[in-house]
Amino acid sequence: MTTPEPATPTLSPTGRLRVLHGWAERLSVPVETLTSSGTQAFAREGATAVVVVELERSRVVVGPPAALERIRGLDGAELLDLQLLVASLASFRPRPIGSASLSYRDTRLDRRLPVATTRADDALVEAMRLAVAADEWDESGLATMPQRWAATTPQGRLAALAGLERWGADIAQLGVVATPDARGHGYAAAAAGEVVTQALDDGLVAQWRCREGNAASERLAASLSLTRLGRQLAVDLS
């Protein structure tokens, strides 16, 4: 029996370090917090949410002091249980924002799909907004992303839209959505491939946040061979 070749890594050691620096900047914590193992909490006066970020062996919890005191007894696994986290914060009338995996790529795509793609103007963006459910559009984050690409069918019909926005000096957050009748045909993957390439051209690491339970997003991330590094949870207390 032939032993299969190991998959080529899609995130370099330098890329991993850049991800840690990017999240340290976004959470306003020392980067050493994310390069060591264990859980550390940071109280933020005036914060209106509890955010938990796990990257490899480290976990960071950020939130208002009273809320952090309430969940101080939870261990690492419990902090990553959204239902338990919400229950522990019940007296704050919490609203779960969600739980998502965090995956990355800083190497070039090894193939391009034979799908027509183009820079998306405002008219194409508005057409996509009207073509999908409001919650799907909001989850994609495409409304505020400054760089966006559209994938079209051979007949020229809009099928998918993808975009990116810069997070500091290191990370490009990606978003993608497809029209209901175009899903499963490679259009979203083609549009997403364009924004991954653009992120790398801009000198950034491409980041994919996939909401737990979003099977379509999970399949798309797998098709792009992204490297999963961790998870993010957020609970709104406002």
Side-chain angles (χ1 to χ4, degrees), residues 156-168:
R157 182 172 53 81
L158 177 62
L161 188 72
L164 66 86
E165 63 177 331
R166 190 173 189 132
W167 279 18

Side-chain angles (χ1 to χ4, degrees), residues 20 24-25 27-35 40 42 44 60:
L20 300 182
E25 177 185 4
L27 296 171
S28 299
V29 301
V31 70
E32 293 77 16
T33 305
L34 291 167
T35 57
Q40 297 189 54
F42 294 85
R44 299 281 190 263
V60 174

Side-chain angles (χ1 to χ4, degrees), residues 175-191:
V176 64
V177 70
T179 59
D181 59 341
R183 293 169 188 172
H185 298 287
Y187 296 111

Side-chain angles (χ1 to χ4, degrees), residues 138-203:
D138 291 342
E139 184 178 338
S140 75
L142 285 163
T144 59
M145 291 182 174
Q147 300 187 68
R148 294 171 287 209
W149 278 258
T152 55
T153 68
Q155 296 75 33
R157 182 172 53 81
L158 177 62
L161 188 72
L164 66 86
E165 63 177 331
R166 190 173 189 132
W167 279 18
D170 295 289
I171 295 174
Q173 166 66 11
L174 310 183
V176 64
V177 70
T179 59
D181 59 341
R183 293 169 188 172
H185 298 287
Y187 296 111
E194 292 292 344
V195 295
V196 169
T197 298
Q198 184 62 51
L200 302 189
D201 288 345
D202 290 345

